[in-house]
């Protein structure tokens, strides 16, 4: 069953991402879009993941890792191998380096200012969120943990962006976690609207 609000939000996030990339010279527009469109993207991913967990889609963390690696990490590596590395070699990006492939591997692990970083961050958000949801049942304790990781992620972003690993998933996990509550809120709003004679 497809949920229209998810499809619409996903479409809007894609449009804003494209618009934000084309508006880099108009600084205030670029900053405004990037202030919310990536948090919204991770939040939406958390919402969909919450629905999957309610249906017991993933039997274990290893099952989750296999499934998400197929959807996120394999495409990432494919793009690097067949597009990024060849293009950089042709452009002379690696000229003068003794180990160009080592540089490519380093950029994959520490993807500062390298596009597709969000695939790595999203993969690790899935894994961390799954472990948290399975092992910590208290919402307050969950919030304390993801809040602490968010502060670590912000510290990386502000002071050590170049060495933030795997797209800095700590920075985005809190938005992913917040996504768990979106569907519940919308369900409650639907109940209220139905009780007052409206249907969504």
């Amino acid at each position: 069953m497809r949920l229209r609000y998810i499809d619409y939000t996903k479409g809007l996030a894609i449009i804003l991402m494209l618009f934000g990339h084309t508006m880099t010279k108009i600084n205030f527009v670029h900053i405004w879009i990037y202030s919310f469109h990536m948090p919204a993207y991770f939040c939406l991913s958390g919402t969909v993941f919450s629905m999957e967990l309610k249906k017991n889609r993933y039997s274990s963390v290893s099952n989750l890792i296999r499934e998400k690696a197929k959807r996120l990490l394999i495409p990432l590596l494919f793009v690097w191998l067949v597009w990024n590395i060849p293009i950089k070699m042709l452009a002379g990006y690696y000229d003068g380096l003794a180990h160009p492939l080592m540089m490519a591997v380093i950029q994959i692990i520490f993807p500062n200012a390298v596009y597709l970083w969000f695939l790595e961050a999203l993969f690790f958000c899935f894994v961390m969120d799954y472990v948290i949801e399975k092992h910590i049942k208290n919402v307050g304790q969950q919030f304390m943990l993801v809040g602490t990781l968010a502060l670590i992620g912000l510290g990386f972003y502000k002071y050590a962006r170049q060495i933030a690993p795997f797209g800095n998933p700590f920075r985005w996990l809190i938005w992913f976690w917040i996504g768990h509550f979106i569907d519940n809120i919308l369900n409650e709003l639907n109940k209220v609207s139905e009780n007052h004679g409206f249907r969504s």
Side-chain angles (χ1 to χ4, degrees):
M1 176 182 171
R2 297 187 69 89
L3 298 174
R4 286 178 296 176
Y5 79 88
I6 289 179
D7 289 336
Y8 295 155
T9 307
K10 191 189 305 179
L12 179 61
I14 292 170
I15 291 169
L16 286 172
M17 178 189 70
L18 295 172
F19 194 63
H21 279 297
T22 61
M23 290 302 213
T24 53
K25 292 184 179 179
I26 306 177
N27 199 40
F28 75 93
V29 175
H30 180 77
I31 291 172
W32 176 72
I33 290 173
Y34 273 81
S35 69
F36 67 86
H37 105 277
M38 287 311 295
Y41 172 80
F42 278 89
C43 190
L44 182 62
S45 298
T47 300
V48 175
F49 188 52
S50 175
M51 296 174 186
E52 292 177 338
L53 291 181
K54 287 174 184 175
K55 296 175 182 176
N56 296 313
R57 178 171 175 182
Y58 304 102
S59 58
S60 65
V61 69
S62 59
N63 175 248
L64 170 79
I65 289 171
R66 282 194 300 271
E67 289 291 320
K68 296 306 178 184
K70 288 178 187 176
R71 296 175 64 89
L72 297 170
L73 298 186
I74 290 176
L76 171 73
L77 293 174
F78 177 80
V79 171
W80 266 95
L81 292 173
V82 305
W83 179 256
N84 287 8
I85 293 175
I87 289 294
K88 287 186 174 187
M89 283 183 168
L90 289 172
Y93 181 87
Y94 298 119
D95 288 355
L97 295 177
H99 304 285
L101 290 181
M102 181 61 70
M103 173 59 74
V105 171
I106 290 171
Q107 286 190 320
I108 293 172
I109 298 172
F110 303 100
N112 176 52
V114 177
Y115 78 103
L116 297 181
W117 60 267
F118 64 90
L119 292 178
E120 297 175 63
L122 186 59
F123 172 80
F124 283 100
C125 281
F126 275 117
V127 175
M128 290 188 292
D129 187 77
Y130 182 90
V131 172
I132 289 169
E133 290 293 328
K134 291 295 181 182
H135 296 286
I136 304 175
K137 300 303 180 184
N138 183 281
V139 174
Q141 291 175 350
Q142 289 182 359
F143 175 73
M144 291 296 292
L145 177 56
V146 298
T148 300
L149 292 174
L151 291 174
I152 292 170
L154 288 172
F156 269 123
Y157 182 75
K158 185 171 179 61
Y159 300 108
R161 198 177 306 184
Q162 292 80 6
I163 61 170
F166 308 118
N168 199 1
F170 309 116
R171 182 182 173 208
W172 304 105
L173 178 62
I174 192 165
W175 297 107
F176 190 96
W177 178 79
I178 288 171
H180 282 276
F181 303 97
I182 300 299
D183 193 50
N184 291 335
I185 292 169
L186 290 174
N187 285 336
E188 290 301 317
L189 290 174
N190 278 336
K191 288 177 184 176
V192 170
S193 65
E194 286 174 6
N195 289 337
H196 288 80
F198 300 102
R199 286 191 175 273
S200 59

